[in-house]
Amino acid sequence: MAALDYPNDIPTWVLTFPDFPGVRGLVPASESGLPDKALMPRFVGQAVRVKVKGLDRENGLAACSRREAVAEAAAELLPRLAGDPDVTLDGVVRCLVPGKDGAPPKLLVDVGGGVLAEVPRSQALVWLTKPLGVQYAPGQRVRVKVTRVDPQSGLVEASIKKALPDPWERAEFKRGQFLSGTVARTDGKHVWVEPDLAPGVLGLAPYPVVGFVGRGDRVSCAVANFDRSAKKLRLRLRGRLA
């Protein structure tokens, strides 16, 4: 997709076709197939699947519909997904959708033919201390596990975390080991730290008697105790890192 234009104040994608140089495809907001036209700018620069509805050869213009192309793909894909409650798919991140009215953001992931699955923030965060926009970029390939399908409404929900191994299964720490990490949260008595070596794992440390630490701070820690089976990592803070 080359650009987003506004002919007659209507948001319209302008497409190029590698096999047909000089021809431009036009997809107005009503044919974008997106739940909100405000998302259209986030798809600029990405490849989209469309159905050509008409061709103006003289001016090199093609009237296109992503909505119809996705509807055809959904008619085949959604019943198959609904019939398999444990399906895992390869997907492509299309965009980050900001939350409204205080709701957390979510990802839209293409799971085939342009069909978009919603991945809630809680199910997309591999690193608990890094924003979604840092962890994912448009066009990035991901593995997702489908968690909900409604063939009537076309809603698909999925999880990236559930398609990955439990981070505690891969974690390995030894008593006395020094490590760096990022503060995920604190309640004034305790500090939860995500080690750089184990994204998705939170270690617990007492709040320092002297000094201050807060969410997002980089810290140095020593391992006091590690119990993988109980999913417990006890740490001692050694100080903040620059």
Side-chain angles (χ1 to χ4, degrees):
M1 183 188 309
L4 176 64
D5 204 351
Y6 293 85
N8 300 318
D9 294 326
I10 298 174
T12 301
W13 283 329
V14 181
L15 312 182
T16 56
F17 303 95
D19 296 333
F20 300 96
V23 177
R24 292 180 299 157
L26 302 179
V27 184
S30 60
E31 296 300 320
S32 70
L34 297 178
D36 187 345
K37 65 181 181 181
L39 297 176
M40 292 182 71
R42 298 174 182 270
F43 280 69
V44 173
Q46 301 190 57
V48 293
R49 186 183 183 203
V50 297
K51 188 173 183 178
V52 176
K53 303 292 292 178
L55 183 62
D56 180 348
R57 297 181 182 275
E58 182 178 349
N59 294 302
L61 296 175
C64 303
S65 173
R66 179 182 175 275
R67 177 183 60 81
E68 291 190 21
V70 172
E72 291 181 357
E76 179 181 347
L77 180 62
L78 296 189
R80 179 163 61 88
L81 297 182
D84 187 350
D86 200 37
V87 65
T88 302
L89 302 170
D90 291 317
V92 178
V93 175
R94 288 305 181 198
C95 70
L96 172 67
V97 182
K100 295 182 179 179
D101 300 324
K106 58 188 175 184
L107 292 179
L108 290 184
V109 176
D110 187 333
V111 293
V115 176
L116 298 176
E118 297 182 0
V119 182
R121 178 180 181 275
S122 63
Q123 295 302 312
L125 287 176
V126 175
W127 287 92
L128 304 177
T129 54
K130 293 183 180 180
L132 280 185
V134 173
Q135 297 186 49
Y136 299 100
Q140 181 175 336
R141 295 189 175 277
V142 293
R143 192 80 172 155
V144 298
K145 182 173 182 179
V146 176
T147 56
R148 182 187 172 197
V149 180
D150 185 344
Q152 299 301 318
S153 67
L155 174 67
V156 180
E157 291 183 348
S159 169
I160 293 174
K161 290 178 66 174
K162 291 182 178 180
L164 297 172
D166 185 332
W168 286 93
E169 294 178 1
R170 298 174 293 173
E172 184 62 53
F173 298 102
K174 295 180 180 179
R175 181 180 175 86
Q177 177 183 1
F178 284 83
L179 53 86
S180 59
T182 303
V183 175
R185 65 179 187 272
T186 176
D187 63 3
K189 295 182 179 179
H190 305 90
V191 180
W192 285 264
V193 177
E194 182 177 32
D196 293 341
L197 292 175
V201 169
L202 288 182
L204 181 65
Y207 196 87
V209 176
V210 178
F212 168 84
V213 292
R215 181 172 166 29
D217 284 345
R218 300 279 297 146
V219 293
S220 173
C221 305
V223 176
N225 184 48
F226 174 60
D227 185 340
R228 181 186 294 106
S229 61
K231 295 186 176 181
K232 290 183 179 180
L233 174 62
R234 297 292 184 259
L235 303 170
R236 299 189 191 93
L237 291 182
R238 289 307 194 189
R240 295 172 62 183
L241 298 174

